[in-house]
Amino acid sequence: MNDTLHVVEKLTEWRARALEFEREIQKAVLGQARVIRLVTICIFARGHVLIEGDVGVGKTTLLRSASRALGGDFARVEGTVDMMPSDILYHTYLGEDGRPRVEPSELVRLAETLPVFFFNEINRARPQVHSLLLRLMAERSVSAFNRVHHFPYLSVFADRNMVEREETFELPAAARDRFLMEVPMAAPEDEDARRRLVFDPAFHDTETLIERVTAGSFDYRVIPEIARAIQTHVKSSGALERYVLNLWQALVKPGSAGISLPDVDVGNLLKGGASPRALAALARAARVSAWLDGRDYLVPEDVRDLFIEVMAHRIFVDPIHALRGDDIVKRLCRAAFDATPVP
């Protein structure tokens, strides 16, 4: 009993700090409250994030602010068509004596103090690089200099170049599945936020802007402990679990759930995805969402609110329909909501 009470008290304390962590990021990032909440959920669920958004909407500012608020280091690499896996692990240069030198990359050097790693334009890099990234994401480790380097606190963030399609390499299904969420980030809708971003000089100087964020407002070194406590402490009822399983069944066999979409044969729509790992990821994220809302139990809204960000990129449709992009999958998810009674 005393141990349980101690965990409850710690989770309450950590929740207050997590909400402060969000407020710190909002000092530098305007009009992105939902994106910040989703990133926070992924960090405390120990997941990785693919951020989808146009150039110049503040993705790097968001991640640098998160890293500063966590009190850890920040590393970033730029995807290029000629990048090789070694470019992520090693840094080569000529020494003063003219001889070549090989040193650990920034990523490897910062392994034990790195909560945020940003891979910009990941689809510019070749599949060999994606393979290395898969290991980093799945195992939080890489091999370099004849030993294994561990990344105990790491969350990987990436984005894709969605404008210039030449010399890009789309992520395979296995790579996309490693991301806990795919989070859209667009310019803010709020008129005052838009005005400030355009006309307030404070938002034109990124370095000064990020300095607004209090460094170390949340200690990244306790995140693994918090993540385990959240998953153990936040409970789900039998009714909620049946609801999630019914949603899953509606996705896997939409025809049997009475789902229909205009101009789509739902019986032949799906080719894969919506795996047990995907639903486990949904449950993990939903528990963190409930914790941030001050609850120790799940409700259907926890699941529904995150469903598309967690599940849509893990559902693979017939190539003919895939040409339409992700919209048809999102429509299927919403149809599953409508077809599944809420407890």
Side-chain angles (χ1 to χ4, degrees):
M1 180 64 70
N2 289 337
D3 289 343
T4 301
L5 181 61
H6 177 70
V7 171
V8 171
E9 291 175 347
K10 292 296 289 184
L11 282 173
T12 301
E13 176 188 342
W14 285 330
R15 173 179 176 267
R17 294 183 183 179
L19 296 179
E20 180 62 27
F21 165 78
E22 291 185 325
R23 289 190 289 271
E24 288 296 327
I25 296 175
Q26 289 170 353
K27 293 179 180 178
V29 181
L30 288 183
Q32 301 290 354
R34 176 163 173 80
V35 173
I36 293 171
R37 171 53 58 95
L38 293 175
V39 166
T40 302
I41 290 171
C42 287
I43 288 173
F44 289 100
R46 304 290 281 140
H48 311 292
V49 186
L50 188 64
I51 301 180
E52 302 278 59
D54 291 334
V55 175
V57 295
K59 296 187 291 293
T60 303
T61 302
L62 166 66
L63 298 179
R64 288 184 62 189
S65 299
S67 180
R68 180 176 172 85
L70 290 171
D73 288 306
F74 173 80
R76 166 178 168 161
V77 299
E78 303 288 334
T80 61
V81 69
D82 60 346
M83 174 180 279
M84 296 301 292
S86 58
D87 296 326
I88 298 179
L89 302 176
Y90 307 105
H91 168 59
T92 59
Y93 64 99
L94 291 177
E96 294 181 358
D97 58 1
R99 295 182 177 180
R101 297 285 189 272
V102 180
E103 298 288 346
S105 68
E106 182 181 42
L107 174 69
V108 173
R109 284 191 297 102
L110 300 177
E112 296 185 359
T113 59
L114 188 64
V116 177
F117 172 54
F118 182 31
F119 200 125
N120 192 34
E121 296 196 352
I122 188 174
N123 59 336
R124 287 288 193 198
R126 294 178 179 273
Q128 299 96 313
V129 178
H130 298 163
S131 296
L132 174 64
L133 192 68
L134 279 179
R135 173 178 175 179
L136 178 62
M137 295 168 68
E139 303 177 15
R140 287 189 169 88
S141 68
V142 296
S143 297
F145 297 95
N146 296 319
R147 71 182 185 91
V148 176
H149 299 261
H150 296 280
F151 298 76
Y153 313 107
L154 182 68
S155 287
V156 173
F157 296 82
D159 74 348
R160 294 184 289 179
N161 186 320
M162 303 300 290
V163 178
E164 300 161 339
R165 311 301 293 182
E166 297 82 8
E167 294 186 331
T168 61
F169 303 87
E170 283 308 310
L171 294 177
R176 292 185 71 181
D177 186 67
R178 292 296 179 185
F179 289 99
L180 177 63
M181 291 189 196
E182 286 193 5
V183 176
M185 185 172 179
E189 296 291 336
D190 180 73
E191 182 177 348
D192 182 64
R194 286 180 171 233
R195 179 189 60 77
R196 292 179 64 191
L197 287 173
V198 173
F199 292 104
D200 187 341
F203 291 94
H204 303 167
D205 184 346
T206 303
E207 297 302 323
T208 302
L209 186 65
I210 292 173
E211 288 178 359
R212 292 182 173 184
V213 178
T214 302
S217 59
F218 199 105
D219 187 350
Y220 69 93
R221 292 170 295 185
V222 301
I223 288 177
E225 179 186 357
I226 296 171
R228 288 189 295 268
I230 292 170
Q231 297 304 312
T232 301
H233 183 69
V234 178
K235 305 299 182 181
S236 57
S237 67
L240 188 282
E241 291 173 1
R242 286 192 296 273
Y243 175 63
V244 173
L245 294 176
N246 289 338
L247 281 175
W248 186 14
Q249 181 68 12
L251 286 178
V252 174
K253 296 182 178 180
S256 66
I259 293 175
S260 63
L261 297 174
D263 303 320
V264 176
D265 178 8
V266 295
N268 296 312
L269 175 62
L270 296 184
K271 293 302 179 184
S275 66
R277 181 166 63 189
L279 270 294
L282 177 64
R284 195 166 78 247
R287 289 190 189 101
V288 178
S289 180
W291 170 67
L292 289 171
D293 284 344
R295 285 180 280 106
D296 63 357
Y297 58 91
L298 290 175
V299 297
E301 287 73 17
D302 295 320
V303 174
R304 292 166 64 98
D305 190 49
L306 304 175
F307 197 87
I308 289 177
E309 285 86 358
V310 175
M311 294 296 297
H313 65 286
R314 294 180 159 101
I315 299 171
F316 310 108
V317 300
D318 185 277
I320 293 176
H321 298 293
L323 294 174
R324 304 184 189 182
D326 292 336
D327 181 64
I328 192 168
V329 175
K330 294 177 182 179
R331 288 167 53 201
L332 176 64
C333 291
R334 296 186 184 102
F337 291 159
D338 295 337
T340 307
V342 180

